[in-house]
Amino acid sequence: MPVINKKAAIYARVSSEKQEKEKTIESQLAELRDVCKKDGVEIVKEYIDNGFSGSTLARPALDQLRDDASKGLFNIVYIHSPDRLARKYVYQVLVLEELRQKGIEVKFLNKLVTDSPEDQLLLGVQGLIAEYERAKILERTRRGKLHKARFGEIQGSLPPYGYDYVKKTKERGGYYKVNEKEAEIVRLIFSLYLELGSIAKVIKELYKRKIKTRKGRQYWSKKTVHRILTNECYIGTTYYNKCCKSGGKCRLRDKKEWIPVKVPKIIDEETFQLAQKLLKSNS
């Protein structure tokens, strides 16, 4: 039965390049346009988020749709399924409630979501299933990274100062390669610290020599220099699984839980240990 005097908006989303290549957006749009035609509604605008995760609401097309909702451009929104709107149930409820307050209906494909207990139960179950799938993927990814780290593969593509990250290939996992230009500065920092005995003096000397940070800053922070002086990566070992998130903060795990991964050395063991003794003495 046609929906009388309705102006419709369409919202579609995919979260990866693979889905884009497989024309998932096009298939969503085709089905939604077909439903709009059957319902007899006029499509006034289509909102498309290509390559955006459903685990966040920070998406340009969805933000635009929410902004336009107050302008009276449309009074019904068609979406392929609840997980295209958001993968978290609480986010689904937040957006749906926001649209309802503006007098806008939401229709998931051939199912119009109303305030009836049955519809709300169905939406809740769909949202919980989407959350479960998301949690399962995250846990699978986490355990996969632990497994790869135990076999010596670097996890995370942001290397410490002094190294470049080389992406994994079919033949080999990702690894760190010494960046000779930065490595020379790392050696200089250790040498200056052992000579001058103070991080503040090291920073002044780096500034005097016009040596810039990786980001091109002229002034090195104490935190950055201290991190370099204490990083065991420079004596051949980096660690994975050092931290875990708790209450929104990163908590350092017990060192026996850390997974050591071998990397090329930049500093010899004796120089590194001398620096640690001086740091401890200065603290």
Side-chain angles (χ1 to χ4, degrees):
M1 184 176 178
V3 180
I4 308 300
N5 299 323
K6 292 289 184 181
K7 291 187 176 182
I10 280 176
Y11 178 76
R13 178 189 67 81
V14 294
S15 59
S16 71
E17 291 181 5
K18 183 180 178 182
Q19 287 178 308
E20 289 174 37
K21 289 175 183 176
E22 291 172 352
K23 308 298 182 184
T24 309
I25 278 286
E26 284 77 1
S27 63
Q28 285 182 47
L29 291 172
E31 290 183 57
L32 290 166
R33 289 166 185 158
D34 186 53
V35 172
C36 287
K37 185 177 180 180
K38 289 177 181 176
D39 285 352
V41 299
E42 175 192 356
I43 301 171
V44 294
K45 194 167 182 178
E46 294 179 351
Y47 300 84
I48 302 167
D49 277 319
N50 257 353
F52 287 88
S53 170
S55 62
T56 175
L57 291 180
R59 290 172 253 150
L62 182 60
D63 280 340
Q64 189 61 56
L65 183 149
R66 294 168 71 183
D67 290 342
D68 289 347
S70 304
K71 300 175 183 178
L73 297 180
F74 48 82
N75 43 31
I76 186 168
V77 178
Y78 285 77
I79 306 173
H80 189 271
S81 58
D83 70 327
R84 296 301 90 197
L85 174 60
R87 287 198 171 276
K88 292 188 177 181
Y89 176 55
V90 288
Y91 288 167
Q92 293 175 11
V93 173
L94 187 153
V95 176
L96 290 172
E97 182 62 25
E98 179 183 302
L99 293 173
R100 284 198 190 99
Q101 288 177 357
K102 295 174 181 177
I104 297 169
E105 298 175 35
V106 176
K107 186 168 185 178
F108 293 112
L109 210 55
N110 294 315
K111 174 65 179 176
L112 185 65
V113 178
T114 69
D115 290 324
S116 71
E118 293 81 6
D119 279 350
Q120 291 305 303
L121 176 62
L122 176 61
L123 180 59
V125 169
Q126 289 175 323
L128 289 171
I129 290 172
E131 281 191 57
Y132 165 73
E133 290 296 332
R134 173 72 175 171
K136 188 166 68 173
I137 291 169
L138 288 173
E139 178 61 10
R140 204 176 280 160
T141 301
R142 185 187 71 84
R143 291 185 62 80
K145 286 182 176 181
L146 287 174
H147 177 76
K148 290 176 182 177
R150 290 190 182 103
F151 280 87
E153 184 177 331
I154 292 291
Q155 302 303 304
S157 58
L158 186 62
Y161 189 82
Y163 296 94
D164 292 323
Y165 175 73
V166 180
K167 293 181 180 180
K168 66 179 180 180
T169 62
K170 290 181 180 179
E171 292 76 29
R172 181 175 179 178
Y175 63 97
Y176 288 163
K177 181 180 73 173
V178 174
N179 179 315
E180 290 300 338
K181 185 178 179 181
E182 291 183 354
E184 281 302 313
I185 297 169
V186 170
R187 296 185 189 105
L188 176 64
I189 288 171
F190 273 87
S191 176
L192 288 172
Y193 183 63
L194 292 175
E195 178 189 343
L196 303 173
S198 158
I199 288 178
K201 289 179 181 179
V202 171
I203 290 170
K204 286 182 181 178
E205 187 62 26
L206 291 172
Y207 182 80
K208 182 181 175 182
R209 299 189 188 195
K210 297 182 179 180
I211 296 172
K212 297 182 180 181
T213 67
R214 178 179 279 174
K215 292 183 178 180
R217 293 173 184 159
Q218 187 66 60
Y219 188 78
W220 293 68
S221 71
K222 286 185 178 180
K223 187 177 180 180
T224 299
V225 174
H226 186 273
R227 188 185 299 122
I228 287 173
L229 290 170
T230 57
N231 195 339
E232 291 181 60
C233 197
Y234 300 122
I235 52 172
T237 306
T238 188
Y239 293 93
Y240 184 68
N241 202 44
K242 288 177 67 174
C243 300
C244 65
K245 287 187 178 180
S246 178
K249 295 181 179 179
C250 189
R251 179 177 62 81
L252 199 65
R253 297 179 188 270
D254 189 291
K255 194 165 183 177
K256 65 184 179 182
E257 296 181 56
W258 299 5
I259 300 172
V261 181
K262 293 297 179 183
V263 296
K265 289 184 180 182
I266 290 177
I267 299 295
D268 64 82
E269 183 78 28
E270 183 182 359
T271 300
F272 185 82
Q273 293 306 330
L274 285 171
Q276 304 321 297
K277 288 178 182 179
L278 185 55
L279 283 166
K280 188 176 181 180
S281 173
N282 287 342
S283 68

